Amino acid sequence: MKLPNFRRYLDFGSRHSSFNERNQLIASGIGKEHSWILDIGSNLGETCNFLASKGHFVVGVEKFEKEHKIACARSAPGTAYMQTSVTPEFIQSTLQWDAILLLSVLHRIYAFEGEEFMRSVLRACGEKTDRLFIEGSTRRARYTDQGSPAPSFTDFDPADAEKWHREVLRSELGDRWQVSPARVLAHSKSEPHRLFFHAEKTAG
């Protein structure tokens, strides 16, 4: 298949300095061979392809057509891609997953659809898996550039942003979920740091 000519998209991973580190953290935290993984906001499919190369089966969901076309053109064995908007109803309609990825996407859902909608997506994900990998932004503009009000953490403050994200996770996932301490990952010139969370549902 011929790759679509969207050159500015193709260096996505190289523009985010912890991209490979983040992928390795996910791979090491999956905990089960041949897992079925849902990647929400899969962008160009690079993380999907990486996890498929480790023997997992990955379904990527992407809202935007250009990114979806590139992901399909570059798809690896063990991956599949859908172009659709992510809603709580969509997530609830799927089967159970060994893991769900929300990488650089919760703040975009917040920006486009508002905080309550973002929270409802997170709740739906928590009902469909026992393992979540979440990347959170420390830059408030990532939440507000479509007109949504700003979250209450201090801009570019990883500790304050972690506190805000933890409260969201606790509120929407509930007490059965254990959230690991956030990994502060280097990101980009415009946003020096991102937060990476690994959350697992405990027995009981």
Side-chain angles (χ1 to χ4, degrees):
M1 181 183 297
K2 184 178 180 180
L3 187 67
N5 187 25
F6 301 124
R7 292 184 182 276
R8 74 182 183 88
Y9 293 88
L10 298 183
D11 64 344
F12 177 80
S14 65
R15 287 185 285 115
H16 298 78
S17 55
S18 61
F19 190 80
N20 291 331
E21 179 184 359
R22 189 187 69 181
N23 282 350
Q24 293 291 344
L25 288 170
I26 295 167
S28 65
I30 292 294
K32 177 184 174 183
E33 291 186 337
H34 309 306
S35 290
W36 281 87
I37 301 165
L38 178 65
D39 185 0
I40 295 176
S42 53
N43 203 275
L44 307 184
E46 293 175 329
T47 297
C48 295
N49 288 342
F50 171 78
L51 293 174
S53 76
K54 302 296 184 182
H56 303 299
F57 306 103
V58 193
V59 176
V61 177
E62 176 55 50
K63 175 180 179 178
F64 296 108
E65 181 180 4
K66 291 180 179 179
E67 286 85 342
H68 175 255
K69 284 184 176 179
I70 292 172
C72 289
R74 306 167 82 190
S75 63
T79 63
Y81 295 96
M82 300 175 63
Q83 184 193 352
T84 188
S85 295
V86 173
T87 66
E89 293 76 20
F90 166 76
I91 296 166
Q92 289 161 358
S93 73
T94 69
L95 301 176
Q96 293 294 121
W97 301 90
D98 294 309
I100 295 179
L101 314 184
L102 293 157
L103 307 176
S104 190
V105 70
L106 280 182
H107 51 271
R108 303 314 298 151
I109 296 172
Y110 181 118
F112 281 93
E113 305 290 346
E115 181 174 351
E116 288 308 312
F117 189 91
M118 179 272 290
R119 286 173 175 267
S120 68
V121 167
L122 183 59
R123 285 196 301 273
C125 289
E127 295 170 0
K128 287 295 179 177
T129 189
D130 292 341
R131 183 174 286 108
L132 289 166
F133 297 93
I134 299 164
E135 183 185 49
S137 179
T138 62
R139 183 185 181 193
R140 298 206 310 174
R142 296 290 287 163
Y143 296 83
T144 63
D145 59 11
Q146 302 299 317
S148 292
S152 59
F153 61 81
T154 303
D155 211 16
F156 299 117
D157 183 334
D160 204 32
E162 178 177 0
K163 180 179 178 182
W164 182 85
H165 281 86
R166 280 190 170 278
E167 174 54 29
V168 170
L169 296 174
R170 184 205 62 76
S171 174
E172 305 313 322
L173 296 177
D175 294 336
R176 288 186 59 197
W177 282 81
Q178 181 176 353
V179 182
S180 63
R183 293 285 294 263
V184 180
L185 302 178
H187 187 60
S188 65
K189 289 182 179 180
S190 63
E191 184 182 348
H193 301 104
R194 283 275 173 92
L195 302 174
F196 178 84
F197 298 92
H198 176 189
E200 292 198 23
K201 189 184 294 183
T202 59

